Amino acid sequence: MTDVPADDVRRAQLAFPGGLRVRLRWAGSGQGPAVFALSEVGGRLEEHGGLVSPEFERLCRAEIRVEGPGGAWTARLASPIFDEPRPVFRDLAGLLAVGYGFVTYAFDARTGELRWSHRSRTPLVGVLSSSRLDHLIVQSQLETFALEDGGEVRWRVVHSDAAATAELVGGRLVLSSYEGLLQVLDPSTGRAAG
């Protein structure tokens, strides 16, 4: 394995209500050593790469560091494709959901305990949450899932066009395909909306 320059590691920081601070680092295939070279000490550290593949060290890697009133924790993830981790916070459920590659992970926001994970058959486009919804919306390229706070699938819609983006706009879920076609869904039910 070759040494990976630290410049190849991507970084982001986010803050969520209640004093939850999230730092993300990620890089391409086999670059786990560079991602983890600056891992912070303290708190729980969990490796979840095995949920994706027994050979997770060879895949793209990400590290999520969370600090908040309940302490600090770190989770390490793996993906067969290069992707940016997408965290969203569900305050009432106490969940920090992270979409990465093909998998959505739901962590206890205070402790870092993995409550559940959900695998899609196609790469994730987005993970969305709203105080108006009592579930997460997970958008992959060809499917939309509504996932309960316990990880159960509330509804699922399969699409014929690959979604490039997904946004919650004006109480609707708006999907845009790579060709620029729009599809609008009711985020509560998954049915077509006007």
Side-chain angles (χ1 to χ4, degrees):
M1 185 177 296
T2 59
D3 290 330
V4 178
D7 297 67
D8 288 349
V9 176
R10 309 283 171 89
R11 295 169 179 79
Q13 291 188 63
L14 299 163
F16 293 105
L20 202 64
R21 293 177 311 281
V22 177
R23 285 187 292 284
L24 308 157
R25 286 195 308 278
W26 68 97
S29 298
Q31 295 183 6
V35 172
F36 309 139
L38 299 175
S39 292
E40 299 174 56
V41 297
R44 176 185 196 133
L45 170 62
E46 294 288 333
E47 173 63 69
H48 300 290
L51 293 172
V52 174
S53 169
E55 297 182 5
F56 61 87
E57 293 292 357
R58 300 174 65 183
L59 302 178
C60 300
R61 299 303 309 269
E63 185 172 83
I64 315 300
R65 173 70 175 186
V66 178
E67 295 176 351
W73 57 269
T74 303
R76 292 180 175 172
L77 312 176
S79 171
I81 62 168
F82 182 78
D83 195 16
E84 179 178 340
R86 298 172 197 84
V88 297
F89 180 54
R90 290 204 36 83
D91 186 25
L92 293 178
L95 287 179
L96 181 71
V98 180
Y100 183 59
F102 292 74
V103 180
T104 304
Y105 304 85
F107 299 99
D108 181 298
R110 293 178 60 85
T111 68
E113 176 188 352
L114 181 65
R115 290 195 189 165
W116 53 264
S117 64
H118 180 268
R119 183 185 307 259
S120 171
R121 293 183 183 164
T122 58
L124 299 181
V125 172
V127 178
L128 307 167
S129 181
S130 169
S131 59
R132 295 179 182 184
L133 298 173
D134 58 358
H135 56 273
L136 285 170
I137 301 288
V138 176
Q139 182 64 51
S140 75
Q141 287 181 340
L142 294 176
E143 297 176 288
T144 306
F145 298 92
L147 300 176
E148 303 279 353
D149 290 333
E152 303 84 13
V153 176
R154 175 181 280 193
W155 54 260
R156 174 179 168 256
V157 177
V158 178
H159 308 286
S160 57
D161 291 326
T165 64
E167 298 177 288
L168 289 171
V169 180
R172 299 287 185 243
L173 176 61
V174 180
L175 309 177
S176 175
S177 74
Y178 285 101
E179 290 80 33
L181 302 174
L182 296 180
Q183 183 175 9
V184 181
L185 303 176
D186 179 334
S188 297
T189 64
R191 294 187 187 110

